[in-house]
Each structure stands twice: as C-alpha cells, then as structure tokens.
Amino acid sequence: MNGKIFAWSFMAAFAGFLFGLDTAVISGAEKAIQQLWGLTDIQIGLAVAMALYGTVFGAMFGGIPADRMGRKRSLFWIGLIYFISSVGAALASDVNLFMLFRFLGGLAIGASSVVAPMYISEIAPAESRGRMVVLFQLNIVAGILIAYVSNYLLQGTGNEDWRWMLGVVAVPSFIFTILTFLIPESPRWLILKKNDVEGARKVLNVSQPDGVEGLIAEIQSSTDTSGAPKEPFFSKKYRFPIMLAFLFAFFNQWSGINAIIYYAPRIFEMAGFGKSASLFSTAGIGLVNLIFTMCGGLIIDRFGRRSLMLVGSVGLIGALGLVSWAFFKEQYSGVPYFLFTYIAFFAFSQGAVIWVFISEIFPNAVRAYGQSFGSFTHWIFAAIIANAFPYFAGRFGGGPIFLFFCSMMVLQLVYVWKLMPETKGVSLETLQERMTGRPYDS
C-alpha cells in the first residue's frame, strides 16, 4: 500500500472520528439534559434526534458543495462546522439553543458521510479501495469508543458535567480542519468538473502510478454521452444502484444500531444496571465495535462485501432474538453479552461495508448525488428511530422493540442473498458499466 494514499485516506477519514464522537457523546449527557430542563420523554427524544435531523439535510445537500467546490474544500468547511457546533452545544443556556447547535453539528455529520467516503473511493486503487474506505467507518467507531470512555471519565466532575462531554468534540474538530490543507483534490473531480487533467495526473502518479494515462482516458470517457442529454438522477438508468443504496441504508438503521449507540446507558438501566455500570458497559460496546470493524476492514477486499453481509445478517438475527427474549423473560444477566455479540456482527458486516458499498455503486457523473441519496436514507431513518425510541421503550419495554429489529434483519438477509452484487477489486468505471448496463455512460 502506497504510504501517501494511506495518509490522505486517513486524514479524510478522520471526519468519521468526529462523526462518531459527536454522535455518541449525547448518550452520556441526555439524561442530565432531560433533568436540567425538565423535558418529557418525547421532548428529550426530539433534543437527541435534532442532530440526526441535521444529518438528513447535511446528507441531502452535501453532494452539492462536493461537486461545485470540490471534495477537499468541502471537508474543510465540515471541520469548521463541527468545531462551532460542539462549542455552541456545550455552552447552550436553554434547550432551544442546544438543539440549534446540535442541528448544526448534524449538518456536518451528514455532509461528512457523503464527502469523505466519496473522496477516499476516488483516490484509492481498486484493489485496496475497500480497506481505504473502511478507514472512515473505523474512525467512526473509534470516535464512538472515545465518546463512551470520555463520558465515563467525566461523569461526576460537576453539576453540569454534560457540558464537558459535549465540548470535547471541539479539539479533534480543530485538528481535522487543519489536516484538510494537507490532502490533494480528488483526481476524478479535477477531470470531470474542472477539466484539470494535469492536476489529476499529479495525484494519480502517486496513487496509481501504473497505467495513469489509460486511467485518465477511462475517467474522461466515463461521461462521454456522444452529445446525448444527461439523464436525471432519478431515472430508469440509475434505478438499480438507487434501489441497492436505499435498501442497504434502510436495513442499516432498522437493525437498531443508532437506538443502541444513542441510548445504550438507558437500555442497560432498563435491564437493571446502575448508572455507573451502564456507562462502563456502554464503553464495552464501543470497544467491541472498534475491534470487529477492524476485523471487517482487514478482510473486506479479500472475501468481499457480500460475504461479510451474509455472515453478519445471520449473526444479527441471532443476537437481537436473544436480547428480545431476555426482556420478555425479564432475565437480564445475559443482556450485555447479547448486545456485545450484536455489535460485533454489526461492525463486521454493516458497519464495515455500508460506506464502501454506497461509494462504489454509482457512476462517476452522479456519484455525489448517489452518495447523498444513500446517506440521506440512512439518516432520515436514524432520526426517526432516535426520536421515537424513548417513547416506545417507556411504553412497551425492550422485548417488542428488539423483536422488531430482529425481523428487519431477516428481511436484510433476503436482500443480501437475492439482490446485493459483489464489488470487490473492480474499478469504479467498470462497476459503472455493470450498474447501468452501458459502458462508461454517465
């Protein structure tokens, strides 16, 4: 692996660290915020989900600046927004101001889930593209783990320890913003959007030195429509990758992952654990998530995306079934182990694959729109689940909720088995031909 490609990919993937950190810090703060401002379960659900509603808009529109001003400059602005939102949320004097800054942070999360994986997929060689894009997910789960550990260490440091929990995000946000000055622009964006072949050649000479001229010609021809008008994104030609991205993102969220990430301490307390034990167990979830994402990342280019998803789907069905059974039977001693097993299978499959797969399946000319669509689908359902979980957990308990998530994973298994194609080791331009049925057609 080229050292510079790894460094560029890792610096871009650090946006994922902010993604995970900003997403998970709220888990340690949400109950204190609820008590401080006297919020109902519905109100705290809205306050927590406000960041996720921001991610919906960030994902929906994140492809626009990525196309117009480039992947690199977009990453810079994402880092700056992370910094402003974390400081603002930590200093908020009322719940409305808090939700405003959390929404702003959500914009950065949504946009980073579009731009960073897309950037990495466009600079990495086909044979290592999976491992490089998984760096984004690896940074996400590292951020989640650090958030859980930070929350555990900061608990009890004062009456408003939650402010420090949220403010921690500002430090890596500033570091990431500086790092964006050290990465080059995507060679595919330079060719397709700026017609800067020489600039792209300089990057490709480092990233893929063998056959640079052939690759440049392939990228140029990928949008050659011979004078025919471009078709809109939501057209018959793109319906297969659109369907694949929608269903993948849909099942990603209906596995219940963000309900667990956002409300892990609450779930453990539902199972009879005390506050300190709940926060400690939550840190265990973060550690398992990191370890098994690394495992998935190490083998994704060897065994393929589809194989990981098949194994993961079966494991998720079993783990969620056990969690549901434990709540129905009120036998909670196994709940932490069942949830750790759930996280292991999720990280190994969905966690490692989602951003790789969505960044690969769309043609060059509409990749930014496709990445936005997949991310938007992911985040709209994440917001719905995060908003609704406290209400349904309080009303029905854990049994029915986890049984529902289990049934969704049965449907995911059918999707992977019947519909999901394998994309490992194939150039983006060749995948484009397979997905649209026409060679190098935009």
Side-chain angles (χ1 to χ4, degrees):
M1 170 54 60
N2 186 306
K4 282 191 176 181
I5 290 299
F6 180 85
W8 294 341
S9 298
F10 189 86
M11 284 187 277
F14 195 63
F17 182 86
L18 304 179
F19 173 150
L21 188 66
D22 199 57
T23 295
V25 287
I26 193 66
S27 67
E30 54 100 4
K31 296 203 80 171
I33 291 168
Q34 184 175 18
Q35 294 171 2
L36 175 65
W37 289 316
L39 307 179
T40 65
D41 283 346
I42 293 177
Q43 288 172 324
I44 188 60
L46 178 61
V48 170
M50 190 55 64
L52 288 170
Y53 289 122
T55 65
V56 171
F57 287 94
M60 185 187 304
F61 299 111
I64 296 175
D67 260 359
R68 292 186 178 177
M69 65 182 181
R71 294 24 169 169
K72 174 176 174 167
R73 288 179 63 191
S74 296
L75 288 170
F76 167 80
W77 286 106
I78 287 169
L80 195 59
I81 293 172
Y82 269 124
F83 179 81
I84 294 170
S85 68
S86 59
V87 173
L91 298 177
S93 56
D94 60 66
V95 68
N96 293 322
L97 200 58
F98 171 80
M99 288 194 292
L100 174 63
F101 281 107
R102 289 294 292 168
F103 180 84
L104 187 64
L107 292 177
I109 294 173
S112 65
S113 70
V114 173
V115 182
M118 178 169 54
Y119 172 83
I120 298 169
S121 73
E122 290 181 343
I123 66 167
E127 64 272 12
S128 59
R129 188 174 60 240
R131 296 196 301 276
M132 291 301 96
V133 180
V134 166
L135 285 173
F136 180 71
Q137 179 66 19
L138 189 60
N139 270 273
I140 292 174
V141 298
I144 291 171
L145 173 60
I146 294 302
Y148 287 156
V149 172
S150 174
N151 287 348
Y152 178 73
L153 295 175
L154 288 171
Q155 65 168 327
T157 55
N159 292 331
E160 295 190 335
D161 52 7
W162 65 270
R163 294 188 185 275
W164 289 103
M165 294 178 184
L166 296 174
V168 162
V169 183
V171 177
S173 299
F174 178 77
I175 294 172
F176 172 73
T177 306
I178 300 302
L179 289 177
T180 60
F181 289 101
L182 304 179
I183 62 175
E185 184 53 82
S186 158
R188 285 176 169 85
W189 183 83
L190 289 172
I191 291 174
L192 299 179
K193 302 299 180 180
K194 304 298 286 185
N195 197 28
D196 183 3
V197 176
E198 188 55 38
R201 183 179 285 112
K202 291 178 182 179
V203 180
L204 292 173
N205 277 328
V206 174
S207 65
Q208 303 176 60
D210 297 328
V212 170
E213 297 307 318
L215 182 55
I216 289 173
E218 198 172 279
I219 295 169
Q220 289 174 320
S221 65
S222 70
T223 56
D224 181 11
T225 58
S226 302
K230 290 185 177 180
E231 296 182 42
F233 177 69
F234 290 104
S235 64
K236 182 179 179 180
K237 182 169 65 173
Y238 303 129
R239 66 182 177 183
F240 185 54
I242 286 173
M243 177 188 66
L244 290 174
F246 175 84
L247 290 175
F248 202 106
F250 174 88
F251 288 124
N252 180 276
Q253 284 306 305
W254 289 106
S255 69
I257 184 61
N258 266 351
I260 294 171
I261 295 299
Y262 275 72
Y263 296 107
R266 184 183 290 251
I267 293 170
F268 283 120
E269 288 184 34
M270 287 167 57
F273 294 83
K275 180 180 178 181
S276 182
S278 296
L279 286 172
F280 185 76
S281 297
T282 301
I285 282 181
L287 180 60
V288 172
N289 200 2
L290 178 63
I291 291 171
F292 281 88
T293 300
M294 292 174 65
C295 292
L298 288 172
I299 65 174
I300 190 171
D301 283 322
R302 180 178 179 184
F303 293 99
R305 292 62 159 145
R306 188 172 181 272
S307 298
L308 267 61
M309 287 297 297
L310 285 170
V311 173
S313 296
V314 174
L316 288 170
I317 291 168
L320 287 167
L322 288 170
V323 175
S324 176
W325 173 85
F327 276 99
F328 275 123
K329 294 293 186 179
E330 298 184 356
Q331 297 179 9
Y332 301 125
S333 60
V335 167
Y337 306 104
F338 301 152
L339 286 177
F340 290 165
T341 302
Y342 164 86
I343 289 293
F345 277 106
F346 180 90
F348 178 81
S349 58
Q350 272 275 10
V353 175
I354 180 170
W355 304 115
V356 177
F357 187 70
I358 293 176
S359 71
E360 292 175 325
I361 59 177
F362 289 98
N364 284 331
V366 295
R367 181 166 299 113
Y369 299 105
Q371 190 78 30
S372 288
F373 174 77
S375 298
F376 167 79
T377 304
H378 173 278
W379 289 116
I380 190 68
F381 288 115
I384 292 170
I385 291 170
N387 203 156
F389 183 82
Y391 171 78
F392 283 97
R395 185 175 178 86
F396 300 107
I401 293 174
F402 286 101
L403 181 60
F404 172 76
F405 292 149
C406 180
S407 68
M408 289 294 101
M409 292 302 91
V410 174
L411 295 179
Q412 175 180 272
L413 179 60
V414 175
Y415 158 74
V416 175
W417 179 32
K418 294 292 186 180
L419 292 175
M420 183 179 173
E422 184 53 73
T423 59
K424 69 168 184 175
V426 183
S427 74
L428 295 177
E429 286 68 36
T430 302
L431 282 173
Q432 174 173 311
E433 179 180 350
R434 294 180 183 178
M435 294 295 169
T436 63
R438 280 181 271 183
Y440 309 140
D441 193 358
S442 68

Short mmCIF file of all heavy atoms in Angstrom, two decimals, residues 25-53 94-96 98-99 102 162 166 262-263 266 382-394:
data_model
loop_
_atom_site.label_atom_id
_atom_site.label_comp_id
_atom_site.label_asym_id
_atom_site.label_seq_id
_atom_site.Cartn_x
_atom_site.Cartn_y
_atom_site.Cartn_z
N VAL A 25 -21.47 11.15 22.06
CA VAL A 25 -21.31 11.86 23.34
C VAL A 25 -22.65 12.16 23.99
O VAL A 25 -22.76 12.23 25.21
CB VAL A 25 -20.52 13.19 23.18
CG1 VAL A 25 -19.05 12.92 22.95
CG2 VAL A 25 -21.11 14.07 22.10
N ILE A 26 -23.69 12.29 23.18
CA ILE A 26 -25.01 12.62 23.72
C ILE A 26 -25.54 11.52 24.61
O ILE A 26 -26.38 11.77 25.48
CB ILE A 26 -26.00 12.93 22.57
CG1 ILE A 26 -27.28 13.60 23.09
CG2 ILE A 26 -26.32 11.67 21.78
CD1 ILE A 26 -27.05 14.97 23.65
N SER A 27 -25.05 10.27 24.43
CA SER A 27 -25.57 9.15 25.22
C SER A 27 -25.30 9.35 26.72
O SER A 27 -26.10 8.93 27.56
CB SER A 27 -24.95 7.83 24.74
OG SER A 27 -23.57 7.78 25.03
N GLY A 28 -24.19 9.99 27.06
CA GLY A 28 -23.87 10.23 28.45
C GLY A 28 -24.49 11.49 29.00
O GLY A 28 -24.53 11.70 30.22
N ALA A 29 -24.99 12.35 28.10
CA ALA A 29 -25.50 13.65 28.52
C ALA A 29 -27.02 13.75 28.52
O ALA A 29 -27.59 14.62 29.18
CB ALA A 29 -24.92 14.74 27.60
N GLU A 30 -27.69 12.84 27.79
CA GLU A 30 -29.11 13.06 27.53
C GLU A 30 -29.97 13.02 28.79
O GLU A 30 -30.91 13.79 28.93
CB GLU A 30 -29.62 12.08 26.47
CG GLU A 30 -29.37 10.60 26.72
CD GLU A 30 -30.60 9.91 27.29
OE1 GLU A 30 -31.65 10.56 27.40
OE2 GLU A 30 -30.49 8.72 27.63
N LYS A 31 -29.65 12.15 29.76
CA LYS A 31 -30.47 12.09 30.96
C LYS A 31 -30.27 13.32 31.84
O LYS A 31 -31.21 13.84 32.45
CB LYS A 31 -30.17 10.81 31.75
CG LYS A 31 -30.53 9.54 30.99
CD LYS A 31 -30.76 8.35 31.89
CE LYS A 31 -32.14 8.40 32.50
NZ LYS A 31 -32.48 7.16 33.22
N ALA A 32 -29.04 13.84 31.91
CA ALA A 32 -28.78 15.07 32.66
C ALA A 32 -29.48 16.26 32.03
O ALA A 32 -30.03 17.12 32.74
CB ALA A 32 -27.27 15.33 32.74
N ILE A 33 -29.48 16.32 30.70
CA ILE A 33 -30.16 17.40 30.00
C ILE A 33 -31.67 17.32 30.24
O ILE A 33 -32.34 18.34 30.45
CB ILE A 33 -29.84 17.33 28.49
CG1 ILE A 33 -28.37 17.69 28.25
CG2 ILE A 33 -30.75 18.24 27.68
CD1 ILE A 33 -27.88 17.39 26.86
N GLN A 34 -32.21 16.10 30.22
CA GLN A 34 -33.64 15.92 30.48
C GLN A 34 -34.02 16.43 31.86
O GLN A 34 -35.04 17.12 32.03
CB GLN A 34 -34.01 14.44 30.34
CG GLN A 34 -35.51 14.17 30.50
CD GLN A 34 -35.87 12.72 30.25
OE1 GLN A 34 -35.02 11.84 30.28
NE2 GLN A 34 -37.15 12.47 29.99
N GLN A 35 -33.19 16.14 32.87
CA GLN A 35 -33.47 16.60 34.23
C GLN A 35 -33.26 18.10 34.38
O GLN A 35 -34.05 18.79 35.04
CB GLN A 35 -32.58 15.84 35.21
CG GLN A 35 -32.89 14.35 35.30
CD GLN A 35 -31.87 13.57 36.10
OE1 GLN A 35 -30.91 14.14 36.64
NE2 GLN A 35 -32.05 12.25 36.17
N LEU A 36 -32.20 18.63 33.75
CA LEU A 36 -31.88 20.06 33.88
C LEU A 36 -33.01 20.94 33.38
O LEU A 36 -33.38 21.92 34.03
CB LEU A 36 -30.59 20.36 33.10
CG LEU A 36 -30.18 21.83 33.03
CD1 LEU A 36 -29.83 22.37 34.41
CD2 LEU A 36 -28.99 22.01 32.07
N TRP A 37 -33.55 20.60 32.22
CA TRP A 37 -34.58 21.44 31.61
C TRP A 37 -35.98 20.85 31.73
O TRP A 37 -36.92 21.33 31.11
CB TRP A 37 -34.23 21.72 30.14
CG TRP A 37 -33.05 22.65 30.01
CD1 TRP A 37 -32.82 23.78 30.74
CD2 TRP A 37 -31.94 22.52 29.13
NE1 TRP A 37 -31.64 24.38 30.35
CE2 TRP A 37 -31.07 23.63 29.36
CE3 TRP A 37 -31.57 21.61 28.15
CZ2 TRP A 37 -29.89 23.83 28.66
CZ3 TRP A 37 -30.39 21.80 27.46
CH2 TRP A 37 -29.56 22.90 27.70
N GLY A 38 -36.15 19.79 32.54
CA GLY A 38 -37.46 19.23 32.82
C GLY A 38 -38.19 18.74 31.58
O GLY A 38 -39.38 19.02 31.40
N LEU A 39 -37.51 17.98 30.74
CA LEU A 39 -38.08 17.54 29.47
C LEU A 39 -38.82 16.21 29.62
O LEU A 39 -38.42 15.34 30.40
CB LEU A 39 -36.98 17.39 28.42
CG LEU A 39 -36.06 18.61 28.21
CD1 LEU A 39 -34.99 18.29 27.16
CD2 LEU A 39 -36.86 19.84 27.79
N THR A 40 -39.89 16.08 28.88
CA THR A 40 -40.60 14.80 28.82
C THR A 40 -39.81 13.82 27.94
O THR A 40 -38.84 14.21 27.28
CB THR A 40 -42.00 14.97 28.22
OG1 THR A 40 -41.88 15.38 26.85
CG2 THR A 40 -42.80 16.02 28.99
N ASP A 41 -40.26 12.55 27.90
CA ASP A 41 -39.59 11.57 27.04
C ASP A 41 -39.66 11.98 25.58
O ASP A 41 -38.70 11.79 24.83
CB ASP A 41 -40.23 10.18 27.22
CG ASP A 41 -39.78 9.51 28.51
OD1 ASP A 41 -38.81 9.98 29.12
OD2 ASP A 41 -40.42 8.50 28.90
N ILE A 42 -40.77 12.54 25.18
CA ILE A 42 -40.91 12.97 23.79
C ILE A 42 -39.98 14.15 23.51
O ILE A 42 -39.33 14.22 22.46
CB ILE A 42 -42.38 13.34 23.47
CG1 ILE A 42 -43.26 12.08 23.51
CG2 ILE A 42 -42.48 14.03 22.11
CD1 ILE A 42 -44.73 12.34 23.29
N GLN A 43 -39.87 15.08 24.47
CA GLN A 43 -39.02 16.25 24.28
C GLN A 43 -37.54 15.88 24.24
O GLN A 43 -36.78 16.40 23.42
CB GLN A 43 -39.28 17.28 25.38
CG GLN A 43 -40.62 17.98 25.26
CD GLN A 43 -40.93 18.86 26.48
OE1 GLN A 43 -40.59 18.51 27.62
NE2 GLN A 43 -41.56 19.99 26.24
N ILE A 44 -37.11 14.98 25.12
CA ILE A 44 -35.69 14.58 25.09
C ILE A 44 -35.40 13.78 23.83
O ILE A 44 -34.30 13.87 23.26
CB ILE A 44 -35.30 13.79 26.37
CG1 ILE A 44 -33.77 13.57 26.41
CG2 ILE A 44 -36.00 12.45 26.43
CD1 ILE A 44 -32.95 14.83 26.44
N GLY A 45 -36.39 13.01 23.36
CA GLY A 45 -36.21 12.31 22.09
C GLY A 45 -35.97 13.28 20.96
O GLY A 45 -35.11 13.07 20.10
N LEU A 46 -36.73 14.40 20.96
CA LEU A 46 -36.55 15.42 19.94
C LEU A 46 -35.20 16.10 20.07
O LEU A 46 -34.50 16.34 19.07
CB LEU A 46 -37.67 16.46 20.04
CG LEU A 46 -37.59 17.64 19.05
CD1 LEU A 46 -37.65 17.13 17.61
CD2 LEU A 46 -38.70 18.64 19.32
N ALA A 47 -34.78 16.40 21.32
CA ALA A 47 -33.50 17.07 21.54
C ALA A 47 -32.33 16.20 21.07
O ALA A 47 -31.39 16.69 20.44
CB ALA A 47 -33.33 17.42 23.02
N VAL A 48 -32.41 14.90 21.36
CA VAL A 48 -31.36 13.98 20.93
C VAL A 48 -31.37 13.82 19.42
O VAL A 48 -30.34 13.80 18.75
CB VAL A 48 -31.52 12.61 21.63
CG1 VAL A 48 -30.58 11.58 21.01
CG2 VAL A 48 -31.24 12.74 23.12
N ALA A 49 -32.59 13.71 18.87
CA ALA A 49 -32.71 13.46 17.42
C ALA A 49 -32.44 14.70 16.59
O ALA A 49 -32.29 14.60 15.37
CB ALA A 49 -34.10 12.92 17.10
N MET A 50 -32.35 15.88 17.22
CA MET A 50 -32.15 17.10 16.45
C MET A 50 -30.87 17.04 15.62
O MET A 50 -30.84 17.51 14.48
CB MET A 50 -32.11 18.32 17.39
CG MET A 50 -32.15 19.66 16.65
SD MET A 50 -33.56 19.85 15.52
CE MET A 50 -34.93 19.82 16.68
N ALA A 51 -29.82 16.46 16.19
CA ALA A 51 -28.59 16.31 15.42
C ALA A 51 -28.83 15.41 14.21
O ALA A 51 -28.30 15.65 13.13
CB ALA A 51 -27.48 15.72 16.30
N LEU A 52 -29.66 14.38 14.40
CA LEU A 52 -29.94 13.48 13.30
C LEU A 52 -30.78 14.13 12.22
O LEU A 52 -30.62 13.85 11.03
CB LEU A 52 -30.63 12.21 13.82
CG LEU A 52 -29.72 11.28 14.62
CD1 LEU A 52 -30.52 10.18 15.29
CD2 LEU A 52 -28.67 10.66 13.71
N TYR A 53 -31.69 15.02 12.62
CA TYR A 53 -32.43 15.76 11.59
C TYR A 53 -31.47 16.66 10.81
O TYR A 53 -31.63 16.86 9.60
CB TYR A 53 -33.55 16.58 12.23
CG TYR A 53 -34.68 15.72 12.74
CD1 TYR A 53 -35.08 15.75 14.07
CD2 TYR A 53 -35.35 14.86 11.87
CE1 TYR A 53 -36.10 14.95 14.54
CE2 TYR A 53 -36.38 14.06 12.34
CZ TYR A 53 -36.76 14.11 13.67
OH TYR A 53 -37.77 13.30 14.12
N ASP A 94 -30.19 27.22 27.07
CA ASP A 94 -31.54 26.65 27.11
C ASP A 94 -31.65 25.57 26.05
O ASP A 94 -30.77 25.41 25.19
CB ASP A 94 -32.60 27.73 26.89
CG ASP A 94 -32.47 28.44 25.55
OD1 ASP A 94 -32.67 27.79 24.50
OD2 ASP A 94 -32.16 29.66 25.55
N VAL A 95 -32.73 24.82 26.10
CA VAL A 95 -32.86 23.65 25.24
C VAL A 95 -32.99 24.03 23.77
O VAL A 95 -32.52 23.30 22.88
CB VAL A 95 -34.07 22.77 25.68
CG1 VAL A 95 -35.40 23.49 25.43
CG2 VAL A 95 -34.04 21.42 24.98
N ASN A 96 -33.59 25.19 23.48
CA ASN A 96 -33.75 25.59 22.08
C ASN A 96 -32.39 25.91 21.44
O ASN A 96 -32.12 25.52 20.29
CB ASN A 96 -34.68 26.81 21.98
CG ASN A 96 -36.11 26.47 22.36
OD1 ASN A 96 -36.59 25.38 22.04
ND2 ASN A 96 -36.78 27.37 23.04
N PHE A 98 -29.56 24.75 22.53
CA PHE A 98 -28.87 23.47 22.47
C PHE A 98 -29.26 22.71 21.20
O PHE A 98 -28.39 22.19 20.48
CB PHE A 98 -29.25 22.64 23.71
CG PHE A 98 -28.78 21.21 23.66
CD1 PHE A 98 -27.47 20.88 23.96
CD2 PHE A 98 -29.65 20.19 23.29
CE1 PHE A 98 -27.03 19.57 23.91
CE2 PHE A 98 -29.23 18.88 23.24
CZ PHE A 98 -27.92 18.56 23.55
N MET A 99 -30.54 22.66 20.89
CA MET A 99 -31.00 21.93 19.71
C MET A 99 -30.51 22.60 18.42
O MET A 99 -30.21 21.91 17.44
CB MET A 99 -32.52 21.81 19.71
CG MET A 99 -33.05 20.84 20.76
SD MET A 99 -34.79 20.37 20.53
CE MET A 99 -35.60 21.94 20.88
N ARG A 102 -26.90 21.50 18.03
CA ARG A 102 -26.87 20.07 17.71
C ARG A 102 -27.32 19.84 16.26
O ARG A 102 -26.79 18.97 15.57
CB ARG A 102 -27.77 19.28 18.67
CG ARG A 102 -27.22 19.17 20.07
CD ARG A 102 -25.95 18.34 20.14
NE ARG A 102 -26.20 16.93 19.84
CZ ARG A 102 -25.25 16.05 19.62
NH1 ARG A 102 -23.97 16.41 19.64
NH2 ARG A 102 -25.56 14.79 19.36
N TRP A 162 -22.13 17.27 31.74
CA TRP A 162 -22.52 17.02 30.35
C TRP A 162 -21.95 18.05 29.40
O TRP A 162 -21.72 17.75 28.23
CB TRP A 162 -24.04 16.97 30.23
CG TRP A 162 -24.75 18.27 30.53
CD1 TRP A 162 -25.20 18.70 31.74
CD2 TRP A 162 -25.07 19.31 29.59
NE1 TRP A 162 -25.78 19.95 31.63
CE2 TRP A 162 -25.72 20.34 30.32
CE3 TRP A 162 -24.87 19.47 28.22
CZ2 TRP A 162 -26.18 21.50 29.71
CZ3 TRP A 162 -25.32 20.63 27.61
CH2 TRP A 162 -25.97 21.64 28.35
N LEU A 166 -19.82 17.21 25.84
CA LEU A 166 -20.09 17.73 24.50
C LEU A 166 -18.94 18.59 23.97
O LEU A 166 -18.63 18.58 22.78
CB LEU A 166 -21.39 18.54 24.50
CG LEU A 166 -22.67 17.76 24.83
CD1 LEU A 166 -23.85 18.72 24.95
CD2 LEU A 166 -22.96 16.73 23.75
N TYR A 262 -27.14 5.66 20.73
CA TYR A 262 -27.61 6.86 21.40
C TYR A 262 -28.13 6.58 22.82
O TYR A 262 -28.04 7.44 23.70
CB TYR A 262 -28.72 7.53 20.59
CG TYR A 262 -28.23 8.45 19.51
CD1 TYR A 262 -27.63 7.94 18.37
CD2 TYR A 262 -28.32 9.83 19.63
CE1 TYR A 262 -27.16 8.77 17.37
CE2 TYR A 262 -27.85 10.67 18.64
CZ TYR A 262 -27.27 10.14 17.51
OH TYR A 262 -26.80 10.97 16.53
N TYR A 263 -28.69 5.41 23.02
CA TYR A 263 -29.39 5.15 24.27
C TYR A 263 -28.85 3.93 25.02
O TYR A 263 -29.54 3.34 25.84
CB TYR A 263 -30.89 4.95 24.00
CG TYR A 263 -31.56 6.18 23.45
CD1 TYR A 263 -31.95 6.25 22.11
CD2 TYR A 263 -31.82 7.28 24.27
CE1 TYR A 263 -32.57 7.37 21.60
CE2 TYR A 263 -32.44 8.42 23.76
CZ TYR A 263 -32.81 8.45 22.43
OH TYR A 263 -33.43 9.58 21.92
N ARG A 266 -29.28 4.00 28.78
CA ARG A 266 -30.71 3.85 29.12
C ARG A 266 -31.14 2.38 28.98
O ARG A 266 -31.89 1.86 29.81
CB ARG A 266 -31.55 4.75 28.21
CG ARG A 266 -33.04 4.75 28.53
CD ARG A 266 -33.80 5.62 27.55
NE ARG A 266 -33.52 7.04 27.73
CZ ARG A 266 -34.39 7.91 28.23
NH1 ARG A 266 -35.58 7.50 28.61
NH2 ARG A 266 -34.07 9.18 28.34
N ALA A 382 -32.46 7.02 10.79
CA ALA A 382 -31.77 7.16 12.08
C ALA A 382 -32.46 8.20 12.95
O ALA A 382 -32.63 8.00 14.16
CB ALA A 382 -30.31 7.56 11.85
N ALA A 383 -32.88 9.30 12.34
CA ALA A 383 -33.56 10.36 13.09
C ALA A 383 -34.90 9.88 13.63
O ALA A 383 -35.26 10.14 14.78
CB ALA A 383 -33.76 11.58 12.19
N ILE A 384 -35.65 9.16 12.81
CA ILE A 384 -36.95 8.65 13.23
C ILE A 384 -36.79 7.70 14.42
O ILE A 384 -37.51 7.79 15.42
CB ILE A 384 -37.65 7.94 12.06
CG1 ILE A 384 -38.03 8.96 10.97
CG2 ILE A 384 -38.88 7.17 12.54
CD1 ILE A 384 -38.51 8.33 9.68
N ILE A 385 -35.82 6.80 14.32
CA ILE A 385 -35.61 5.81 15.38
C ILE A 385 -35.14 6.48 16.68
O ILE A 385 -35.64 6.19 17.77
CB ILE A 385 -34.61 4.74 14.93
CG1 ILE A 385 -35.24 3.88 13.82
CG2 ILE A 385 -34.17 3.86 16.10
CD1 ILE A 385 -34.26 2.97 13.13
N ALA A 386 -34.18 7.41 16.57
CA ALA A 386 -33.67 8.09 17.77
C ALA A 386 -34.75 8.92 18.44
O ALA A 386 -34.81 9.02 19.66
CB ALA A 386 -32.49 8.98 17.40
N ASN A 387 -35.62 9.52 17.64
CA ASN A 387 -36.70 10.35 18.16
C ASN A 387 -37.75 9.49 18.87
O ASN A 387 -38.29 9.85 19.92
CB ASN A 387 -37.34 11.14 17.03
CG ASN A 387 -38.05 12.39 17.52
OD1 ASN A 387 -38.24 13.34 16.77
ND2 ASN A 387 -38.49 12.42 18.77
N ALA A 388 -38.05 8.33 18.30
CA ALA A 388 -39.15 7.52 18.80
C ALA A 388 -38.75 6.53 19.89
O ALA A 388 -39.61 6.09 20.66
CB ALA A 388 -39.78 6.74 17.63
N PHE A 389 -37.47 6.18 19.98
CA PHE A 389 -37.06 5.10 20.88
C PHE A 389 -37.43 5.34 22.35
O PHE A 389 -37.97 4.42 23.00
CB PHE A 389 -35.56 4.83 20.75
CG PHE A 389 -35.09 3.68 21.59
CD1 PHE A 389 -35.24 2.38 21.15
CD2 PHE A 389 -34.52 3.91 22.85
CE1 PHE A 389 -34.82 1.31 21.94
CE2 PHE A 389 -34.11 2.84 23.64
CZ PHE A 389 -34.26 1.55 23.18
N PRO A 390 -37.19 6.52 22.94
CA PRO A 390 -37.54 6.69 24.36
C PRO A 390 -39.02 6.45 24.62
O PRO A 390 -39.40 5.84 25.63
CB PRO A 390 -37.14 8.14 24.66
CG PRO A 390 -36.09 8.45 23.65
CD PRO A 390 -36.50 7.72 22.41
N TYR A 391 -39.87 6.90 23.70
CA TYR A 391 -41.32 6.73 23.88
C TYR A 391 -41.70 5.26 23.85
O TYR A 391 -42.39 4.75 24.74
CB TYR A 391 -42.08 7.50 22.80
CG TYR A 391 -43.56 7.20 22.78
CD1 TYR A 391 -44.42 7.77 23.71
CD2 TYR A 391 -44.10 6.31 21.85
CE1 TYR A 391 -45.78 7.48 23.71
CE2 TYR A 391 -45.45 6.02 21.83
CZ TYR A 391 -46.29 6.60 22.76
OH TYR A 391 -47.63 6.31 22.75
N PHE A 392 -41.25 4.54 22.81
CA PHE A 392 -41.63 3.13 22.67
C PHE A 392 -40.98 2.26 23.74
O PHE A 392 -41.57 1.29 24.20
CB PHE A 392 -41.27 2.63 21.27
CG PHE A 392 -42.22 3.09 20.20
CD1 PHE A 392 -41.94 4.19 19.42
CD2 PHE A 392 -43.43 2.44 20.02
CE1 PHE A 392 -42.82 4.63 18.45
CE2 PHE A 392 -44.33 2.87 19.06
CZ PHE A 392 -44.03 3.97 18.28
N ALA A 393 -39.75 2.62 24.15
CA ALA A 393 -39.10 1.87 25.22
C ALA A 393 -39.85 2.03 26.53
O ALA A 393 -40.02 1.07 27.29
CB ALA A 393 -37.65 2.33 25.37
N GLY A 394 -40.31 3.27 26.81
CA GLY A 394 -41.06 3.51 28.03
C GLY A 394 -42.44 2.88 28.02
O GLY A 394 -42.95 2.44 29.05
#
